[in-house]
Amino acid sequence: MKQKQVIQQLLDKAVVQIDGSQPGDIQVHNDGLYNRVLTEGSLGLGESYMDGWWDSVQLDEFFSRIHSANLDDTVVDKRLIYNALKARVFNMQNKRLSKRVAHEHYDLDTEFYEKMLGPSMQYTCAYWKRAQTLTEAQEHKLDLVCQKLQLREGERVLELGCGWGGFARHAATKYGCSVVAYNISSQQVAYARRWNAGLPVEIIQDDYRTATGEFDKVAAIGLCEHVGYKNYRTLMETVHRTLKRRGLFLLHTIGNNKSVLTSDPWFDKYIFPGGMLPSVAQLSTSMDGLFVLEDWHNFGPDYDRTLMAWYHNVNLHWDEFKSKFDERFHRAWHYYLQSLAGAFRARRIHLWQVVMSKDGILGGYEPVR
Amino acid sequence: MKQKQVIQQLLDKAVVQIDGSQPGDIQVHNDGLYNRVLTEGSLGLGESYMDGWWDSVQLDEFFSRIHSANLDDTVVDKRLIYNALKARVFNMQNKRLSKRVAHEHYDLDTEFYEKMLGPSMQYTCAYWKRAQTLTEAQEHKLDLVCQKLQLREGERVLELGCGWGGFARHAATKYGCSVVAYNISSQQVAYARRWNAGLPVEIIQDDYRTATGEFDKVAAIGLCEHVGYKNYRTLMETVHRTLKRRGLFLLHTIGNNKSVLTSDPWFDKYIFPGGMLPSVAQLSTSMDGLFVLEDWHNFGPDYDRTLMAWYHNVNLHWDEFKSKFDERFHRAWHYYLQSLAGAFRARRIHLWQVVMSKDGILGGYEPVR
């Protein structure tokens, strides 16, 4: 069978047509695509997109269909080529840290993130339940975290991984808390310190594992995706060590339906080097005997909407960055935001806010939504 | 050191006085208690209570303090006798199934359960958020389950372990569903069939693992505590096999802060032979790759209140059962209901309602509280 036919038969299960005109269909500009996908898997799929070998009217919808069809779970044929395809396109490979690309990704001009993320500078999932705009939804997410943590004036909050300092600022200005936050990115630390100048917020440029002291509450928002499965227990132990008895810990993370020990090679190479999505099983094994699980909230579809809002912002402002980033980077960014949106839409991955307490909240914990 | 001193030193950490007069204090009527606890552990503690060797003004509060003090986690002394005490009183032993006592417990007159549980005949945790009475709270629990499962008229519901048929009746009469329910207790099956006569409810007297067919929704309310850790995965696979794609599964179970493979020897012998409380880690490992976790709700303190309501009912109606049950049974029942209430109050154990979906609910799942 020709390679194109192999691919089309697989795509049939996801109702995706090659050179079709529906939103999730793909247009192939270079027939080398089929061989590249069959031999290089998900890395080849992503890199060939960056190279302009194929397009989709709606890339997010293409990925939503691929994931909804459970293509990786479907035994479509006994023939070797199908198995090879399955293994390469969907299974994770050993992580391959790419310092060069990490540098490219993380040292992007802060101005680019300001345009993409908007004034909240929140690079994690927003909460859309009662929001109309991204800015509102990010404000609501910060409030949701503060309310779930039951923040009270004068409380001491530890934040592990703090991005550009938006949560620390919110907890300090709206809830009257003092915050100690850890982050290893010098650029983010500098930004967070400026943004929190004059507030009871201390930004420490160090690894989360070095955190000391005793806190009323602990938050980790978007950190867990970066620590790797070998460190989930260490993360939990770090929180357990620094949290007061009967204190609350909120973990905000993307999660996976299945336990995996590796990450997607394209994302690993171009977007989040060393990134890895935990499963419920991995997180709960790592909290076993340390915390009481008070509340587990899954609002993954809100990340679909958040990513599409970022995608919209990137397109809106692209002309301002044309001189800095080439078209290949532009396409990579499209691919990143839209393929991830499709995975959330298909419920293949999730956004979890997990609230844990040390020894339990007496009388019970009242969940907030 | 005298055995009494060893015990008192340990109890000091829980602010419990021997022969004190506060609610959680204990009154010792037979000094043989100390040796019995030190040599027979939790079994000796419970059996000596049944024998009338000690009392507490408020047994539930005694247990709440014991658990709140984390006595089993506290390294109180290096001396051997303390370690022996820790190991024996708190650590679980290998389960010892006691068919004789199982028979005694489960073949109790249904009339006794009617008096203890009230008209709802619900032998699982009630939901007190908006309720004043046990009957209301049990009605609200049933509604909570139906609403979390998003039951719609005409849907087919599978119930694994159905008690006296109260949930099946509720789903059929209030939500217009048809229900197929599995239960191995002949007495409960007979009761459930009578109670559901004329309704689209089929009660099958068989093991939950034999369930077949395809259902819109699946519920397992109070089953998981009985299946044992080796069968958690089988339970999940049974549900996965019988649930439609995008269908919902609600698991209602008592849960433990830690993963254990054994049960408390006193409870194992006198109350729930073979019973075992799952941890978050054990449940989530067993669901890995099968389900999307949509919602994890912990309302353990509601079980404290439920157990105390049952305890109140038992006391209220005890005179009617004096001819059937002796005083030792009466004290065992006190011990069972109050020690469990204390463990929930101290947040050592929990009531979880876990909502899972097969392949995810598109657009997301809206939690109900």
Side-chain angles (χ1 to χ4, degrees), chain B residues 228-257:
Chain B
Y229 78 96
K230 288 187 178 168
N231 295 307
Y232 297 149
R233 182 72 182 182
T234 308
L235 170 59
M236 297 290 179
E237 287 170 344
T238 302
V239 176
H240 192 261
R241 189 181 71 229
T242 51
L243 185 61
K244 280 186 184 164
R245 188 162 197 225
R246 313 285 185 200
L248 289 168
F249 166 41
L250 185 140
L251 179 72
H252 174 117
T253 184
I254 303 175
N256 207 335
N257 279 344

mmCIF file of all heavy atoms in Angstrom, chain B residues 228-257:
data_model
loop_
_atom_site.group_PDB
_atom_site.id
_atom_site.type_symbol
_atom_site.label_atom_id
_atom_site.label_comp_id
_atom_site.label_asym_id
_atom_site.label_seq_id
_atom_site.Cartn_x
_atom_site.Cartn_y
_atom_site.Cartn_z
ATOM 1 N N GLY B 228 -11.997 -4.951 48.067
ATOM 2 C CA GLY B 228 -10.592 -5.273 48.332
ATOM 3 C C GLY B 228 -9.673 -4.721 47.262
ATOM 4 O O GLY B 228 -10.047 -4.619 46.093
ATOM 5 N N TYR B 229 -8.467 -4.367 47.673
ATOM 6 C CA TYR B 229 -7.571 -3.638 46.768
ATOM 7 C C TYR B 229 -7.208 -4.409 45.514
ATOM 8 O O TYR B 229 -6.919 -3.833 44.471
ATOM 9 C CB TYR B 229 -6.307 -3.181 47.518
ATOM 10 C CG TYR B 229 -5.277 -4.252 47.753
ATOM 11 C CD1 TYR B 229 -4.191 -4.419 46.895
ATOM 12 C CD2 TYR B 229 -5.382 -5.112 48.846
ATOM 13 C CE1 TYR B 229 -3.249 -5.394 47.108
ATOM 14 C CE2 TYR B 229 -4.441 -6.093 49.070
ATOM 15 C CZ TYR B 229 -3.376 -6.244 48.206
ATOM 16 O OH TYR B 229 -2.455 -7.214 48.417
ATOM 17 N N LYS B 230 -7.248 -5.737 45.600
ATOM 18 C CA LYS B 230 -6.888 -6.513 44.415
ATOM 19 C C LYS B 230 -7.945 -6.429 43.323
ATOM 20 O O LYS B 230 -7.703 -6.836 42.189
ATOM 21 C CB LYS B 230 -6.676 -7.977 44.804
ATOM 22 C CG LYS B 230 -5.404 -8.193 45.594
ATOM 23 C CD LYS B 230 -5.118 -9.649 45.837
ATOM 24 C CE LYS B 230 -3.795 -9.791 46.593
ATOM 25 N NZ LYS B 230 -3.610 -11.147 47.101
ATOM 26 N N ASN B 231 -9.115 -5.926 43.663
ATOM 27 C CA ASN B 231 -10.208 -5.886 42.691
ATOM 28 C C ASN B 231 -10.587 -4.487 42.225
ATOM 29 O O ASN B 231 -11.554 -4.323 41.493
ATOM 30 C CB ASN B 231 -11.446 -6.581 43.285
ATOM 31 C CG ASN B 231 -11.180 -8.059 43.500
ATOM 32 O OD1 ASN B 231 -10.772 -8.761 42.587
ATOM 33 N ND2 ASN B 231 -11.392 -8.512 44.724
ATOM 34 N N TYR B 232 -9.841 -3.469 42.663
ATOM 35 C CA TYR B 232 -10.184 -2.110 42.227
ATOM 36 C C TYR B 232 -10.103 -2.004 40.697
ATOM 37 O O TYR B 232 -10.965 -1.414 40.053
ATOM 38 C CB TYR B 232 -9.266 -1.064 42.867
ATOM 39 C CG TYR B 232 -9.337 -0.971 44.382
ATOM 40 C CD1 TYR B 232 -8.219 -0.592 45.125
ATOM 41 C CD2 TYR B 232 -10.515 -1.253 45.070
ATOM 42 C CE1 TYR B 232 -8.274 -0.501 46.516
ATOM 43 C CE2 TYR B 232 -10.576 -1.166 46.455
ATOM 44 C CZ TYR B 232 -9.454 -0.796 47.171
ATOM 45 O OH TYR B 232 -9.505 -0.702 48.532
ATOM 46 N N ARG B 233 -9.055 -2.574 40.136
ATOM 47 C CA ARG B 233 -8.915 -2.506 38.677
ATOM 48 C C ARG B 233 -10.042 -3.272 37.980
ATOM 49 O O ARG B 233 -10.574 -2.805 36.973
ATOM 50 C CB ARG B 233 -7.546 -3.074 38.255
ATOM 51 C CG ARG B 233 -7.259 -3.016 36.753
ATOM 52 C CD ARG B 233 -6.987 -1.606 36.268
ATOM 53 N NE ARG B 233 -6.766 -1.523 34.814
ATOM 54 C CZ ARG B 233 -6.481 -0.397 34.180
ATOM 55 N NH1 ARG B 233 -6.365 0.740 34.843
ATOM 56 N NH2 ARG B 233 -6.308 -0.387 32.874
ATOM 57 N N THR B 234 -10.396 -4.423 38.539
ATOM 58 C CA THR B 234 -11.494 -5.209 37.964
ATOM 59 C C THR B 234 -12.803 -4.437 38.010
ATOM 60 O O THR B 234 -13.593 -4.467 37.054
ATOM 61 C CB THR B 234 -11.662 -6.533 38.746
ATOM 62 O OG1 THR B 234 -10.393 -7.177 38.800
ATOM 63 C CG2 THR B 234 -12.671 -7.437 38.079
ATOM 64 N N LEU B 235 -13.025 -3.740 39.111
ATOM 65 C CA LEU B 235 -14.227 -2.898 39.216
ATOM 66 C C LEU B 235 -14.234 -1.853 38.100
ATOM 67 O O LEU B 235 -15.239 -1.671 37.394
ATOM 68 C CB LEU B 235 -14.265 -2.222 40.598
ATOM 69 C CG LEU B 235 -15.306 -1.124 40.810
ATOM 70 C CD1 LEU B 235 -16.722 -1.649 40.594
ATOM 71 C CD2 LEU B 235 -15.181 -0.519 42.204
ATOM 72 N N MET B 236 -13.104 -1.175 37.916
ATOM 73 C CA MET B 236 -13.008 -0.140 36.880
ATOM 74 C C MET B 236 -13.199 -0.752 35.487
ATOM 75 O O MET B 236 -13.876 -0.169 34.628
ATOM 76 C CB MET B 236 -11.646 0.563 36.947
ATOM 77 C CG MET B 236 -11.390 1.319 38.233
ATOM 78 S SD MET B 236 -12.401 2.813 38.409
ATOM 79 C CE MET B 236 -11.846 3.381 40.031
ATOM 80 N N GLU B 237 -12.610 -1.906 35.271
ATOM 81 C CA GLU B 237 -12.747 -2.556 33.960
ATOM 82 C C GLU B 237 -14.192 -2.987 33.704
ATOM 83 O O GLU B 237 -14.682 -2.923 32.573
ATOM 84 C CB GLU B 237 -11.797 -3.753 33.861
ATOM 85 C CG GLU B 237 -10.347 -3.316 33.699
ATOM 86 C CD GLU B 237 -9.351 -4.458 33.833
ATOM 87 O OE1 GLU B 237 -9.731 -5.538 34.354
ATOM 88 O OE2 GLU B 237 -8.179 -4.268 33.441
ATOM 89 N N THR B 238 -14.862 -3.440 34.755
ATOM 90 C CA THR B 238 -16.270 -3.831 34.628
ATOM 91 C C THR B 238 -17.106 -2.629 34.186
ATOM 92 O O THR B 238 -17.956 -2.735 33.289
ATOM 93 C CB THR B 238 -16.800 -4.370 35.972
ATOM 94 O OG1 THR B 238 -15.995 -5.475 36.372
ATOM 95 C CG2 THR B 238 -18.249 -4.813 35.845
ATOM 96 N N VAL B 239 -16.846 -1.490 34.803
ATOM 97 C CA VAL B 239 -17.595 -0.279 34.441
ATOM 98 C C VAL B 239 -17.230 0.159 33.025
ATOM 99 O O VAL B 239 -18.105 0.493 32.219
ATOM 100 C CB VAL B 239 -17.313 0.860 35.441
ATOM 101 C CG1 VAL B 239 -18.012 2.133 34.999
ATOM 102 C CG2 VAL B 239 -17.755 0.465 36.844
ATOM 103 N N HIS B 240 -15.946 0.131 32.712
ATOM 104 C CA HIS B 240 -15.499 0.562 31.385
ATOM 105 C C HIS B 240 -16.146 -0.292 30.287
ATOM 106 O O HIS B 240 -16.518 0.215 29.221
ATOM 107 C CB HIS B 240 -13.973 0.463 31.308
ATOM 108 C CG HIS B 240 -13.386 1.141 30.103
ATOM 109 N ND1 HIS B 240 -13.021 0.452 28.965
ATOM 110 C CD2 HIS B 240 -13.132 2.445 29.849
ATOM 111 C CE1 HIS B 240 -12.554 1.301 28.066
ATOM 112 N NE2 HIS B 240 -12.608 2.518 28.575
ATOM 113 N N ARG B 241 -16.305 -1.566 30.571
ATOM 114 C CA ARG B 241 -16.878 -2.511 29.608
ATOM 115 C C ARG B 241 -18.368 -2.266 29.377
ATOM 116 O O ARG B 241 -18.884 -2.467 28.279
ATOM 117 C CB ARG B 241 -16.669 -3.927 30.161
ATOM 118 C CG ARG B 241 -17.002 -5.064 29.224
ATOM 119 C CD ARG B 241 -16.771 -6.412 29.907
ATOM 120 N NE ARG B 241 -17.756 -6.694 30.935
ATOM 121 C CZ ARG B 241 -17.469 -7.105 32.163
ATOM 122 N NH1 ARG B 241 -16.222 -7.302 32.539
ATOM 123 N NH2 ARG B 241 -18.430 -7.344 33.035
ATOM 124 N N THR B 242 -19.064 -1.820 30.412
ATOM 125 C CA THR B 242 -20.524 -1.718 30.334
ATOM 126 C C THR B 242 -21.023 -0.289 30.085
ATOM 127 O O THR B 242 -22.217 -0.082 29.923
ATOM 128 C CB THR B 242 -21.162 -2.232 31.647
ATOM 129 O OG1 THR B 242 -20.533 -1.570 32.754
ATOM 130 C CG2 THR B 242 -20.982 -3.735 31.789
ATOM 131 N N LEU B 243 -20.096 0.677 30.080
ATOM 132 C CA LEU B 243 -20.494 2.088 29.941
ATOM 133 C C LEU B 243 -20.342 2.540 28.492
ATOM 134 O O LEU B 243 -19.344 2.251 27.841
ATOM 135 C CB LEU B 243 -19.619 2.953 30.864
ATOM 136 C CG LEU B 243 -19.941 4.447 30.958
ATOM 137 C CD1 LEU B 243 -21.347 4.686 31.499
ATOM 138 C CD2 LEU B 243 -18.906 5.144 31.861
ATOM 139 N N LYS B 244 -21.356 3.282 28.018
ATOM 140 C CA LYS B 244 -21.279 3.849 26.667
ATOM 141 C C LYS B 244 -20.174 4.896 26.590
ATOM 142 O O LYS B 244 -19.848 5.546 27.583
ATOM 143 C CB LYS B 244 -22.601 4.546 26.320
ATOM 144 C CG LYS B 244 -23.702 3.636 25.873
ATOM 145 C CD LYS B 244 -24.903 4.456 25.418
ATOM 146 C CE LYS B 244 -26.054 3.529 25.057
ATOM 147 N NZ LYS B 244 -27.331 4.265 24.973
ATOM 148 N N ARG B 245 -19.687 5.123 25.393
ATOM 149 C CA ARG B 245 -18.719 6.190 25.176
ATOM 150 C C ARG B 245 -19.326 7.539 25.592
ATOM 151 O O ARG B 245 -20.499 7.778 25.330
ATOM 152 C CB ARG B 245 -18.326 6.224 23.696
ATOM 153 C CG ARG B 245 -17.196 7.174 23.467
ATOM 154 C CD ARG B 245 -16.445 6.994 22.161
ATOM 155 N NE ARG B 245 -15.181 7.700 22.299
ATOM 156 C CZ ARG B 245 -14.659 8.502 21.379
ATOM 157 N NH1 ARG B 245 -15.224 8.628 20.207
ATOM 158 N NH2 ARG B 245 -13.529 9.125 21.628
ATOM 159 N N ARG B 246 -18.534 8.378 26.222
ATOM 160 C CA ARG B 246 -18.959 9.674 26.775
ATOM 161 C C ARG B 246 -19.965 9.511 27.919
ATOM 162 O O ARG B 246 -20.625 10.484 28.306
ATOM 163 C CB ARG B 246 -19.554 10.612 25.710
ATOM 164 C CG ARG B 246 -18.763 10.739 24.415
ATOM 165 C CD ARG B 246 -17.518 11.572 24.528
ATOM 166 N NE ARG B 246 -16.882 11.742 23.209
ATOM 167 C CZ ARG B 246 -15.620 12.085 23.055
ATOM 168 N NH1 ARG B 246 -14.835 12.300 24.095
ATOM 169 N NH2 ARG B 246 -15.105 12.226 21.844
ATOM 170 N N GLY B 247 -20.113 8.299 28.429
ATOM 171 C CA GLY B 247 -21.003 8.065 29.561
ATOM 172 C C GLY B 247 -20.322 8.383 30.878
ATOM 173 O O GLY B 247 -19.096 8.500 30.955
ATOM 174 N N LEU B 248 -21.132 8.525 31.929
ATOM 175 C CA LEU B 248 -20.622 8.915 33.241
ATOM 176 C C LEU B 248 -20.707 7.766 34.242
ATOM 177 O O LEU B 248 -21.661 6.987 34.231
ATOM 178 C CB LEU B 248 -21.422 10.105 33.789
ATOM 179 C CG LEU B 248 -21.191 11.450 33.105
ATOM 180 C CD1 LEU B 248 -22.255 12.461 33.533
ATOM 181 C CD2 LEU B 248 -19.790 11.988 33.435
ATOM 182 N N PHE B 249 -19.720 7.716 35.111
ATOM 183 C CA PHE B 249 -19.657 6.716 36.187
ATOM 184 C C PHE B 249 -19.455 7.460 37.496
ATOM 185 O O PHE B 249 -18.548 8.282 37.615
ATOM 186 C CB PHE B 249 -18.490 5.763 35.906
ATOM 187 C CG PHE B 249 -18.089 4.895 37.075
ATOM 188 C CD1 PHE B 249 -19.040 4.304 37.909
ATOM 189 C CD2 PHE B 249 -16.746 4.639 37.324
ATOM 190 C CE1 PHE B 249 -18.658 3.492 38.978
ATOM 191 C CE2 PHE B 249 -16.349 3.823 38.391
ATOM 192 C CZ PHE B 249 -17.313 3.252 39.219
ATOM 193 N N LEU B 250 -20.313 7.197 38.467
ATOM 194 C CA LEU B 250 -20.132 7.794 39.793
ATOM 195 C C LEU B 250 -19.767 6.717 40.803
ATOM 196 O O LEU B 250 -20.489 5.727 40.968
ATOM 197 C CB LEU B 250 -21.390 8.532 40.252
ATOM 198 C CG LEU B 250 -21.198 9.276 41.593
ATOM 199 C CD1 LEU B 250 -21.879 10.627 41.561
ATOM 200 C CD2 LEU B 250 -21.678 8.458 42.778
ATOM 201 N N LEU B 251 -18.621 6.934 41.446
ATOM 202 C CA LEU B 251 -18.151 6.032 42.504
ATOM 203 C C LEU B 251 -18.273 6.763 43.836
ATOM 204 O O LEU B 251 -17.675 7.825 44.035
ATOM 205 C CB LEU B 251 -16.687 5.668 42.237
ATOM 206 C CG LEU B 251 -16.014 4.749 43.252
ATOM 207 C CD1 LEU B 251 -16.549 3.333 43.136
ATOM 208 C CD2 LEU B 251 -14.499 4.738 43.027
ATOM 209 N N HIS B 252 -19.076 6.194 44.726
ATOM 210 C CA HIS B 252 -19.297 6.772 46.064
ATOM 211 C C HIS B 252 -18.656 5.816 47.064
ATOM 212 O O HIS B 252 -19.083 4.667 47.184
ATOM 213 C CB HIS B 252 -20.818 6.889 46.270
ATOM 214 C CG HIS B 252 -21.267 7.328 47.641
ATOM 215 N ND1 HIS B 252 -21.948 8.502 47.861
ATOM 216 C CD2 HIS B 252 -21.170 6.732 48.862
ATOM 217 C CE1 HIS B 252 -22.237 8.622 49.152
ATOM 218 N NE2 HIS B 252 -21.781 7.551 49.785
ATOM 219 N N THR B 253 -17.616 6.270 47.731
ATOM 220 C CA THR B 253 -16.900 5.345 48.624
ATOM 221 C C THR B 253 -16.244 6.078 49.783
ATOM 222 O O THR B 253 -15.912 7.265 49.684
ATOM 223 C CB THR B 253 -15.813 4.551 47.850
ATOM 224 O OG1 THR B 253 -15.206 3.596 48.746
ATOM 225 C CG2 THR B 253 -14.704 5.456 47.324
ATOM 226 N N ILE B 254 -16.061 5.356 50.879
ATOM 227 C CA ILE B 254 -15.204 5.839 51.946
ATOM 228 C C ILE B 254 -13.764 5.707 51.467
ATOM 229 O O ILE B 254 -13.431 4.769 50.755
ATOM 230 C CB ILE B 254 -15.400 5.016 53.235
ATOM 231 C CG1 ILE B 254 -16.864 5.056 53.676
ATOM 232 C CG2 ILE B 254 -14.514 5.545 54.367
ATOM 233 C CD1 ILE B 254 -17.170 4.157 54.875
ATOM 234 N N GLY B 255 -12.913 6.643 51.839
ATOM 235 C CA GLY B 255 -11.521 6.579 51.398
ATOM 236 C C GLY B 255 -10.562 6.861 52.532
ATOM 237 O O GLY B 255 -10.925 7.432 53.564
ATOM 238 N N ASN B 256 -9.342 6.460 52.294
ATOM 239 C CA ASN B 256 -8.283 6.508 53.297
ATOM 240 C C ASN B 256 -7.192 7.496 52.871
ATOM 241 O O ASN B 256 -6.937 7.663 51.689
ATOM 242 C CB ASN B 256 -7.675 5.100 53.390
ATOM 243 C CG ASN B 256 -7.083 4.835 54.747
ATOM 244 O OD1 ASN B 256 -6.690 5.762 55.459
ATOM 245 N ND2 ASN B 256 -7.012 3.567 55.112
ATOM 246 N N ASN B 257 -6.556 8.144 53.836
ATOM 247 C CA ASN B 257 -5.454 9.060 53.523
ATOM 248 C C ASN B 257 -4.229 8.350 52.956
ATOM 249 O O ASN B 257 -3.427 8.966 52.265
ATOM 250 C CB ASN B 257 -5.022 9.815 54.782
ATOM 251 C CG ASN B 257 -5.924 11.002 55.075
ATOM 252 O OD1 ASN B 257 -6.677 11.440 54.217
ATOM 253 N ND2 ASN B 257 -5.839 11.513 56.283
#
